[in-house]
Each structure stands twice: as structure tokens, then as C-alpha cells.
């Protein structure tokens, strides 16, 4: 049986969260001299002399309506990287507890584990980049608190088989994090639709990819109310700044534009996926459910350097076990993709 309180660090259960000035006052007032703000004004304009809503109520309401969840099931972070870090701090005792991840995958799980002095267990994805469920469950130790699954996975670009994720949710008594940073680029339903079935499920999403807001830093975690309350309890009070909250509210009104942008990216992805294998330097293009392609080339380091010489930066993933010889290429604009193809075609083997 999943028992959240038994997983959470005792100091987190015991501690009192920071109480902000606006939390301690409820009601109507016209003069706010309670938070040591600059009441004369702001050099940045707007209302930026005031602290932002620490609970991001308007934003959560709007996101809840769009995503079909309750506001109490949403945590907002300064990028999903903040949520990843807070999960370690909430659940894992430094020097004692364990996290499991499935490389090749997103690098921040490992960085956050190391930062928080949490033991990192790794089970390699299979040759087709899927989860070997039995092996993962066999690796679970009494102190394993978290399993991170990235779906669609970065850098392999594929969706993880939902049956495998479900088997982990059922077979593991810790928290299963499903990182869906790239979910908008595929047709598969989000795991947010199954939150009420699995108290140990936490879904990460972000405004950095499909929404095009990487510079604003806004990440989302969806989970049970109990889990979300704990994340809210330990987060820095004003982790989502006012400009980000305002701009995200405006962006959320533009769901049509979002759809067009996703369609365009997916279309460009398919064009690239079709054109790249025709190049003699390309050995394989892996299927993609994301906004990037994992591409196996004859000489990854040589090609990487050649592209840089021509003003094009891709991600060299060839040193990652499982990704030997591979470059990760984000889908660009039509012109950028054409230029990429042209430069890659001129690479001398
Ligand atoms: C799988 C995955 N999760 C999370 C992130 C980070 O997202 P954010 O910008 O919200 O911190 C990335 C960024 O590349 C990613 O690839």
C-alpha cells in the first residue's frame, strides 16, 4: 500500500512553511505596507514593485480548466527543473535514500540526485529504448523513493510504452515521476488523465517546449492533492515571478496558436525525418514523438564540429551509453532545417 507520509522526510513533515505577508492578512485594504516593498513604484514598470501571488491562484485555475484536473492537483515551478529538485528534497534523506532512473535520459535527474546526495541507481533502457520493467522492479531497494521515467524520452525521442509505466506504478511503492516535457508533440494522452487512479503518480510538464516559453521558466507538476501540498509547503514562496504569471495567463488564451505551432513543428519534424536518411553520413533516424530527432551518423564528433564550423549547433549525445554515434537535433524553422540538410550533405566522410 502506498503511504505518502511514510516516504516523506521527517523534517519536511515536521516543518512549518514560510508564511508570507499576504498569507497573514485576509480581507480588503488599500494600503499595503506589510512586505517591505517599494511603495513609490517600480523601475521595471507595471506592478512589479509588489510580490507575486505565491499560490498562483489565477494561473492554476486556468491551467486546471485546460488540462482537465483540479487546481489542487497542480504545482508550478521555476521550470520543471525546480520541481525535480524539490522532489528530492521532499522525499530523499541525503546519504541514505535512493532514486532510480533509466538512461539514456534527461540529465537533470542525475544532477539533482548528486546535488542532494541521493544514491542514483540506473537501469539502462532496452535496445528499442523501452523500460525493462522486471529489471527495474528487481533493482528497487527498501530506500528507493523515486523512479524517473521520461516519456517521450530525451534524448531518444520515443514515447515509453504505457503498460510499462502502469506496471511500475502498480509494482513500486514510491513515487513514479513521468516527465512529459514533450507530450504535446505526440498523440498519446497525458498521464494526467490517470492521476485519480494512482496516488504515487507525479506528472511533469513544462511551458518551455510546445508553448515556446523557455525564457520565462514555468514548469508544472500534477499529482494527488497530498503530494502537491507538500511541494507547495517546501517551495520558495515567490518562485513564479509576476511577469511569468501574467504572460502565461495571456498565452493560455492562445490555444489555437499553440495548435498551429505544434502542427508546424511536427510537420517539419516529419520532413527532416524523411530527408535525413537520404544523406550518406546518416545511418539511422530514430522515430520521434518529440520536437527533436535522434540521428545516428557515421562520425558524430566530426559532424558535430563540421556543423559548428558552419554556424549550426546541435547536441552531441554520442558519449551516452545507448546513443553511440548519435546527435540530437531540435526541429528548427523550415529555413533552418533546409540549411542543416544542406550543410550535412556537404560533409565529407
Ligand atoms: C525531459 C525534460 N524535462 C524537463 C526539462 C526542463 O524543463 P524546464 O525548462 O521546464 O525546466 C527538459 C529540458 O530540456 C527536458 O528535456
Amino acid at each position: 500500500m502506498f503511504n505518502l507520509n511514510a516516504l516523506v522526510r521527517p523534517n519536511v513533515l515536521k516543518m512549518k512553511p514560510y508564511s508570507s505577508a499576504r498569507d497573514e492578512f485576509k480581507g480588503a485594504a488599500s494600503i499595503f505596507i506589510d512586505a517591505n516593498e517599494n511603495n513609490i513604484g517600480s523601475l521595471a514598470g507595471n506592478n512589479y514593485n509588489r510580490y507575486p501571488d505565491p499560490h498562483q491562484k489565477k494561473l492554476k485555475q486556468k491551467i486546471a480548466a485546460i488540462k482537465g484536473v483540479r487546481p489542487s492537483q497542480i504545482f508550478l515551478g521555476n521550470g520543471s527543473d525546480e520541481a525535480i529538485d524539490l522532489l528530492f528534497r521532499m522525499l530523499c534523506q541525503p546519504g541514505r535514500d535512493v532514486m532510480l532512473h533509466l538512461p539514456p535520459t534527461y540529465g537533470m535527474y542525475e544532477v539533482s540526485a548528486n546535488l542532494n546526495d541521493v544514491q542514483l541507481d540506473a537501469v539502462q533502457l532496452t535496445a528499442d529504448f523501452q523500460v525493462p520493467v522486471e529489471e527495474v522492479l528487481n533493482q528497487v531497494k527498501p530506500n528507493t523513493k523515486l523512479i524517473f521515467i521520461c516519456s517521450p524520452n530525451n534524448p531518444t525521442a520515443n514515447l515509453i510504452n504505457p503498460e510499462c509505466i502502469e506496471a511500475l506504478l502498480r509494482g513500486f511503492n514510491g513515487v513514479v515521476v513521468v516527465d512529459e516535457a514533450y507530450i504535446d508533440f505526440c498523440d498519446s494522452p497525458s498521464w494526467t488523465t490517470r492521476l485519480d487512479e494512482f496516488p504515487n503518480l507525479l506528472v511533469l510538464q513544462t511551458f518551455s517546449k510546445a508553448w515556446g516559453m523557455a525564457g520565462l521558466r514555468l514548469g508544472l507538476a500534477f499529482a494527488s492533492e497530498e503530494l502537491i501540498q507538500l511541494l507547495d509547503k517546501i517551495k520558495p514562496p515567490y518562485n513564479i515571478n509576476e511577469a511569468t504569471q501574467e504572460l502565461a495567463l495571456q498565452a493560455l488564451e492562445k490555444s489555437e496558436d499553440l495548435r498551429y505551432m505544434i502542427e508546424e513543428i511536427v510537420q517539419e519534424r516529419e520532413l527532416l525525418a524523411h530527408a535525413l536518411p537520404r544523406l550518406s553520413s546518416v545511418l539511422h533516424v530514430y522515430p520521434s514523438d518529440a520536437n527533436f530527432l535522434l540521428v545516428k551518423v557515421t562520425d558524430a564528433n566530426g559532424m558535430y564540429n563540421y556543423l559548428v564550423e558552419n554556424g549550426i549547433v546541435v547536441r552531441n549525445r554520442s558519449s551516452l551509453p545507448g546513443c553511440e554515434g548519435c546527435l540530437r537535433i531540435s526541429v528548427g524553422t523550415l529555413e533552418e532545417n533546409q540549411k542543416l540538410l544542406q550543410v550535412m550533405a556537404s560533409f565529407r566522410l
Side-chain angles (χ1 to χ4, degrees):
M1 261 301 276
F2 179 72
N3 178 351
L4 180 60
N5 281 354
L7 288 180
V8 175
R9 284 170 64 183
N11 61 306
V12 169
L13 286 178
K14 250 193 287 162
M15 68 177 257
K16 277 210 177 95
Y18 178 75
S19 173
S20 74
R22 302 288 137 79
D23 278 332
E24 293 184 4
F25 165 80
K26 298 232 160 29
S30 55
I31 298 177
F32 287 95
I33 43 178
D34 57 345
N36 299 345
E37 295 155 338
N38 183 339
N39 280 29
I40 308 295
S42 167
L43 293 175
N46 279 349
N47 238 354
Y48 297 136
N49 54 331
R50 298 295 181 186
Y51 282 102
D53 173 11
H55 310 295
Q56 306 109 15
K57 282 200 209 73
K58 279 192 210 153
L59 201 46
K60 283 187 178 178
Q61 238 154 28
K62 187 119 215 176
I63 293 168
I66 289 174
K67 299 278 181 184
V69 300
R70 297 183 290 283
S72 57
Q73 292 176 304
I74 303 172
F75 167 81
L76 297 179
N78 190 317
S80 30
D81 286 344
E82 183 179 41
I84 293 169
D85 179 61
L86 288 176
L87 280 167
F88 282 104
R89 293 207 260 164
M90 177 178 116
L91 295 172
C92 300
Q93 290 216 39
R96 196 195 86 132
D97 288 333
V98 183
M99 170 284 246
L100 191 151
H101 77 156
L102 292 122
T105 193
Y106 181 47
M108 278 306 287
Y109 314 140
E110 179 165 357
V111 171
S112 268
N114 288 335
L115 173 64
N116 288 288
D117 193 15
V118 170
Q119 184 185 318
L120 182 76
D121 280 354
V123 174
Q124 191 78 10
L125 290 172
T126 59
D128 57 350
F129 301 135
Q130 287 297 331
V131 173
V133 174
E134 284 305 307
E135 208 182 316
V136 171
L137 291 176
N138 285 337
Q139 274 281 329
V140 167
K141 304 188 170 79
N143 286 350
T144 306
K145 297 284 187 73
L146 279 165
I147 296 179
F148 277 88
I149 302 166
C150 188
S151 180
N153 186 39
N154 175 6
T156 62
N158 62 301
L159 205 64
I160 301 297
N161 188 339
E163 280 99 67
C164 295
I165 296 179
E166 182 160 347
L168 293 185
L169 283 162
R170 293 190 191 283
F172 174 56
N173 265 330
V175 172
V176 176
V177 179
V178 182
D179 186 342
E180 294 186 337
Y182 301 99
I183 192 71
D184 297 309
F185 302 105
C186 67
D187 292 329
S188 187
S190 164
W191 279 88
T192 54
T193 53
R194 306 198 55 188
L195 285 177
D196 289 333
E197 265 175 84
F198 300 108
N200 58 338
L201 169 64
L202 183 137
V203 180
L204 291 175
Q205 291 186 7
T206 178
F207 279 79
S208 296
K209 310 296 174 183
W211 291 87
M213 291 161 59
L216 290 176
R217 313 305 300 129
L218 187 59
L220 309 100
F222 302 92
S224 72
E225 199 163 312
E226 292 72 27
L227 244 158
I228 295 303
Q229 271 172 6
L230 283 160
L231 284 173
D232 275 334
K233 179 177 176 179
I234 63 172
K235 79 178 178 69
Y238 305 111
N239 61 329
I240 311 297
N241 70 68
E242 180 64 24
T244 296
Q245 293 195 41
E246 283 168 10
L247 290 167
L249 274 168
Q250 289 170 25
L252 285 162
E253 296 291 338
K254 301 180 185 166
S255 51
E256 277 286 279
D257 296 345
L258 174 72
R259 213 161 46 83
Y260 291 139
M261 218 152 50
I262 292 170
E263 272 170 20
E264 190 175 331
I265 292 167
V266 169
Q267 196 182 324
E268 284 302 319
R269 177 186 81 197
E270 294 312 306
L271 288 175
L272 263 185
H274 200 67
L276 281 165
R278 299 204 182 123
L279 304 178
S280 51
S281 57
V282 170
L283 298 173
H284 187 61
V285 177
Y286 292 86
S288 174
D289 297 301
N291 65 343
F292 57 87
L293 291 165
L294 187 70
V295 183
K296 193 179 271 261
V297 292
T298 46
D299 172 9
N301 293 333
M303 178 64 87
Y304 176 82
N305 291 330
Y306 184 67
L307 288 170
V308 169
E309 280 164 27
N310 285 277
I312 300 175
V313 190
V314 299
R315 193 90 147 108
N316 188 350
R317 300 278 72 184
S318 60
S319 64
L320 292 184
C323 293
E324 292 81 4
C326 288
L327 301 176
R328 193 196 69 192
I329 303 179
S330 306
V331 176
T333 62
L334 171 71
E335 294 73 28
E336 288 169 340
N337 299 335
Q338 279 172 348
K339 176 81 182 159
L340 170 83
L341 289 168
Q342 184 201 327
V343 173
M344 282 181 79
S346 66
F347 179 68
R348 290 285 150 252
L349 298 179

